[in-house]
Amino acid sequence: MASSATVAPGYGNRVAGRAAAAAATTIVLVTVVGFAREIGLSFERSFPPWTVGLGLVGTVAIVAGAWATSGWQPQVSMGLAVASVGFFVPVWAAWPSLPNAVRTAALAAAPFAIAGICHVGLRWANRARNGRILWTIYGLVMFAAIVHLLTYDAFADPGCDRTCLHTDPIAGQLLSTGSAITITAVLSVVAAGLGGAAITPSFRRSNSRLVIVAVLFALAAVAVATALTASWIGRSERWGELTPAVAEFATEAAATAALGIGVLAAVLAVRRMRVAIDRVVTQLIEPIEAKSDHGQPVRVVEFAVQGEDRWVDAAGQTVGDSGDGLRSVVISDRAGPVLRFVMDGNADAGELLARLTPASTLALRNAQLAAATRARLAEVQASRRRIVAASDAERRRIERDLHDGAQQRLVSAILHVSIARNRRPVADAALFDTESTVHEALERLRLLGHGIFPAVLLTEGLGAALEDLARASEIPTTVDVPDVEIAEESAMAAYAAVAAALAHGRGQRPPDSADVVATASEDRLTVRVETTGASMPSDVDLADIADRVGAIGGELAVDPTELGFVLTVVVPCASS
């Protein structure tokens, strides 16, 4: 089948994903606890409450997103762990209890936020060439971090905010702090631009555009924050109501919140899509109910009948095109279309294809074969019904011809013979024999016409027709049939089955007695004929009766007993 599916990660990858989630959690907890102990309320007084709230939302979202993706998208969890290093470790530079060298080194971790964001976006897009781009981004970020670590002196930075203490960088004589800041910012922005350029084309093909939008927003926000860091003049002035430090913090907090919330929203969308697929597969396995699930990303699944230009549902019924703002996703193989998902207008088709597991794909394929089989069985049943209907119509015509033709002629012959006999002065034995023979022929013809198509079946119902059949039979028969409405074709099938049970061939012993009992349950009528004293006649064509009953979706069974046999026929009450 021409569909894409996400392969479940191996055990090692799942362990790596959980380790990355644990690392992100540890970094966040250390940052939160240390920040509260080292700085406390002084930070809240100097920053607007909304920026603090935004930072808390981003903190929780990053951790939750790392754990939510650790099992089935471990690479995304790793990217969130790297992003947490870039977002939270630089905060440690503001803690007075740490050594000056450690505080300065903590600032060098900031570029890793860009690497982590790009890691999330590129791995979520899952394109083949993304690996080389990702390694290039990591190379740029690591080089930027090394330059910052070896040459940056916070005391020489006129825009320092988290720490302004003097340190003696290892390569400070080779490169000034200003140059180090510029190089770090340029490398970070280049890495962000490279990642954004590689991720943007994946927007149309992405399994979830939420992540791509969040990643692009986070990259833009971090790039702005990096530019603020590199702008000495801009950081020394006020930006309206916000100082540059507050603007930088707010921008980073927005990037953190956007990244974490985007991943969480995508995870929820994935789980919702998986639940929808599982629900569809479950409905195909369990008894089917024809209903439309509004509000679900996948409304229903429909199947193609190979070799025919039509679609059927799981029950084999032909369906038309979807409407009401719905759209469909068709999955095909080499032979052509196989199935299509009728989806809500806002559902993501790429997400649907990505969440088709091998198990659900196999179940859907089996369901497609079963639906096609049901559709063809329905065609066979419809063909059988047409044959039976044509046969009944022909029987009606023969019955009318017998009544209007042969019977009328025989009645006329009897009348003429009777007149001729009465005109003879002396009784003529030959005329008496002729009149008796014609009467017998007329009676047999009436019985034959009645057996071909009992008119009472249409005029008075199945119960009256079975009572007439019992009175005409040589077998003592009791009839207990409730007064229920039943379709003509079902009544004909039940009548034919009972007539077959009460028939006996020449030279065969007829049953001693027969009981005909009918019971109605919901939309089905069950007629049971129990006989004693003889087995089922061998010359009765049960195949013809079974075809008639099966053509309307009924069932026929003949079971021998110690005293005779039991014939059971089940037919629908209403025409289907």
Side-chain angles (χ1 to χ4, degrees), residues 209 272-273 276 279-280 292-301 322-329 340-352:
R209 294 185 175 93
R272 184 166 177 257
M273 184 62 71
R279 176 186 55 79
V280 169
S292 178
D293 292 324
H294 296 282
Q296 295 290 338
V298 179
R299 296 287 185 87
V300 71
V301 61
S322 59
D324 298 332
L326 303 178
R327 58 195 180 96
S328 59
V329 176
R340 68 182 179 188
F341 292 94
V342 179
M343 305 177 62
D344 185 79
N346 297 324
D348 189 345
E351 190 68 51
L352 168 67

Side-chain angles (χ1 to χ4, degrees), residues 96-270:
S97 61
L98 294 178
N100 294 346
V102 175
R103 296 172 67 180
T104 304
L107 293 174
F112 283 96
I114 292 176
I117 296 171
C118 293
H119 195 143
V120 172
L122 292 173
R123 289 310 184 190
W124 195 282
N126 198 24
R127 297 176 63 189
R129 63 179 183 179
N130 284 348
R132 296 180 180 179
I133 297 175
L134 185 58
W135 281 113
T136 303
I137 292 172
Y138 269 107
L140 293 172
V141 166
M142 292 183 66
F143 186 67
I146 292 173
V147 170
H148 191 284
L149 181 65
L150 296 180
T151 61
Y152 178 75
D153 181 8
F155 187 75
D157 181 4
C160 63
D161 51 5
R162 292 172 180 170
T163 177
C164 295
L165 299 175
H166 173 70
T167 56
D168 188 13
I170 298 175
Q173 296 179 351
L174 298 179
L175 199 66
S176 66
T177 297
S179 299
I181 294 174
T182 301
I183 293 174
T184 301
V186 170
L187 291 175
S188 300
V189 172
V190 169
L194 181 61
I199 295 170
T200 299
S202 302
F203 180 79
R204 295 182 179 179
R205 298 183 297 271
S206 173
N207 297 331
S208 177
R209 294 185 175 93
L210 294 172
V211 174
I212 302 302
V213 171
V215 165
L216 293 176
F217 177 82
L219 281 176
V222 173
V224 170
T226 303
L228 290 177
T229 303
S231 177
W232 291 8
I233 299 177
R235 290 169 59 84
S236 62
E237 299 177 354
R238 296 184 61 85
W239 289 30
E241 297 295 330
L242 299 178
T243 62
V246 174
E248 179 184 347
F249 173 78
T251 306
E252 292 179 351
T256 308
L259 182 63
I261 293 174
V263 170
L264 284 178
V267 170
L268 293 177
V270 167

Side-chain angles (χ1 to χ4, degrees), residues 242-391:
L242 299 178
T243 62
V246 174
E248 179 184 347
F249 173 78
T251 306
E252 292 179 351
T256 308
L259 182 63
I261 293 174
V263 170
L264 284 178
V267 170
L268 293 177
V270 167
R271 292 183 177 178
R272 184 166 177 257
M273 184 62 71
R274 284 183 173 177
V275 169
I277 294 175
D278 292 341
R279 176 186 55 79
V280 169
V281 173
T282 302
Q283 286 182 348
L284 296 175
I285 297 174
E286 296 177 352
I288 302 165
E289 298 181 2
K291 61 180 182 179
S292 178
D293 292 324
H294 296 282
Q296 295 290 338
V298 179
R299 296 287 185 87
V300 71
V301 61
E302 298 168 348
F303 306 95
V305 180
Q306 297 293 338
E308 301 181 25
D309 187 18
R310 66 185 179 115
W311 294 86
V312 298
D313 58 15
Q317 301 294 325
T318 302
V319 296
D321 295 333
S322 59
D324 298 332
L326 303 178
R327 58 195 180 96
S328 59
V329 176
V330 179
I331 298 180
S332 306
D333 59 12
R334 295 180 180 178
V338 176
L339 57 90
R340 68 182 179 188
F341 292 94
V342 179
M343 305 177 62
D344 185 79
N346 297 324
D348 189 345
E351 190 68 51
L352 168 67
L353 296 177
R355 301 312 151 206
L356 282 176
T357 63
S360 61
T361 302
L362 178 61
L364 290 170
R365 182 62 172 177
N366 292 336
Q368 186 265 340
L369 297 175
T373 301
R374 294 188 186 100
R376 291 196 167 95
L377 286 177
E379 291 179 351
V380 173
Q381 184 175 349
S383 176
R384 292 168 68 184
R385 293 181 67 175
R386 289 192 295 269
I387 293 173
V388 170
S391 176

